[in-house]
Amino acid sequence: MNPGELRQYLEFYKDLGVKDLYVREKAPVIVKPTVSLPPVLPGLAPENDTLAKIREDIGDCKRCRLCEARNKIVFGSGNEEARLVFVGEGPGADEDAQGLPFIGRAGQLLTQMIDGTAKKEGIIITRNDVYICNVVKCRPPENRVPQPDEMEICGQFLFRQLSTIRPKAICALGSTAAKAVLGTKEGVTKLRGNWHKWRDIPVMVTYHPSYLLRPYNQNAKKEAWEDLKAVLHYVYD
Ligand code: URA
């Protein structure tokens, strides 16, 4: 393996949360992951990757336990050349039934937030102009939070989606998306309102629309609109 390929591998594994890979002198290669790994490390994203190829590679996925109760794999939807990508947590019941992301109550709020903020700010885009996907592509039972191994296994496809689209910015919705994209344990309250990075792409973290639907979280709504305003101006001005 040449040094360029090795660097690509290391970056890819870093994105997957693998922090330490080192060689001991006169000893076999020691791989000391800080998170549990799937039995086989995933391969690098193929050259000239496309969303169609990624979807094909996912196939009728049985790589983790989420396949057991899912109806449809929810790959993503929207403009495949979008300058902005929203990343949610995982499909809910409506999404699982239809195979499309963010079409239930939280999705309707997300649509309103994108369309409404853009209109108010004089930015001529709607939800159809952005791309929307999730960290895990199958619905977790009872809408539970995806487990670390499920995020790791599905994360390779999310990273390939992001690398293929190469948007100008990414908006991570909620703490699961923030954890997957930024590899951080910090909560949304700490992360939101500032720019972070995935590889060289700016990332804004904001509240998940489901969180904003709860009546006692109404203060967060104002902050989420502010975050979205900042993202839309950065991407489309
Ligand atoms: N919540 C998510 O995180 N994603 C969806 O697609 C729907 C609800």
Side-chain angles (χ1 to χ4, degrees), residues 128-143:
N128 295 333
D129 296 294
V130 305
Y131 191 82
I132 301 179
C133 58
N134 285 301
V135 175
V136 294
K137 314 301 187 207
C138 297
R139 182 191 183 200
E142 314 296 328
N143 298 338

Side-chain angles (χ1 to χ4, degrees), residues 58-233:
I58 291 177
D60 184 26
C61 188
K62 303 266 192 289
R63 293 171 181 83
C64 84
R65 65 188 79 76
L66 294 183
C67 69
E68 288 161 19
R70 70 144 191 262
N71 287 299
K72 289 199 171 162
I73 291 175
V74 180
F75 180 65
S77 74
N79 179 355
E80 302 201 345
E81 291 173 5
R83 284 146 75 184
L84 175 58
V85 174
F86 287 86
V87 180
E89 178 172 299
D94 295 308
E95 291 79 13
D96 175 63
Q98 293 197 43
L100 290 167
F102 282 100
I103 50 161
R105 271 186 78 217
Q108 283 159 25
L109 177 58
L110 181 63
T111 306
Q112 266 177 34
M113 287 170 69
I114 297 170
D115 294 1
T117 313
K119 194 165 177 204
K120 204 159 151 229
E121 296 299 309
I123 297 166
I124 309 163
I125 62 133
T126 65
R127 172 178 165 147
N128 295 333
D129 296 294
V130 305
Y131 191 82
I132 301 179
C133 58
N134 285 301
V135 175
V136 294
K137 314 301 187 207
C138 297
R139 182 191 183 200
E142 314 296 328
N143 298 338
R144 66 158 169 75
V145 174
Q147 294 176 3
D149 62 328
E150 296 158 0
M151 288 170 62
E152 234 173 74
I153 292 165
C154 228
Q156 60 179 304
F157 299 113
L158 172 66
F159 295 142
R160 282 176 63 186
Q161 284 174 300
L162 296 175
S163 299
T164 301
I165 298 172
R166 285 209 63 69
K168 190 168 171 190
I170 296 165
C171 185
L173 301 167
S175 59
T176 300
K179 197 182 283 175
V181 174
L182 301 176
T184 178
K185 284 192 177 140
E186 295 283 10
V188 175
T189 324
K190 263 241 171 108
L191 295 168
R192 64 152 294 277
N194 295 305
W195 287 103
H196 306 271
K197 277 213 164 151
W198 179 74
R199 301 195 179 164
D200 55 348
I201 303 177
V203 176
M204 177 65 77
V205 175
T206 194
Y207 297 102
H208 192 286
S210 302
Y211 177 84
L212 301 174
L213 283 170
R214 297 176 202 146
Y216 44 88
N217 291 333
Q218 290 312 294
N219 276 346
K221 243 185 179 167
K222 224 180 101 223
E223 293 177 326
W225 291 97
E226 288 302 320
D227 298 337
L228 199 52
K229 221 163 81 176
V231 171
L232 292 179
H233 280 296

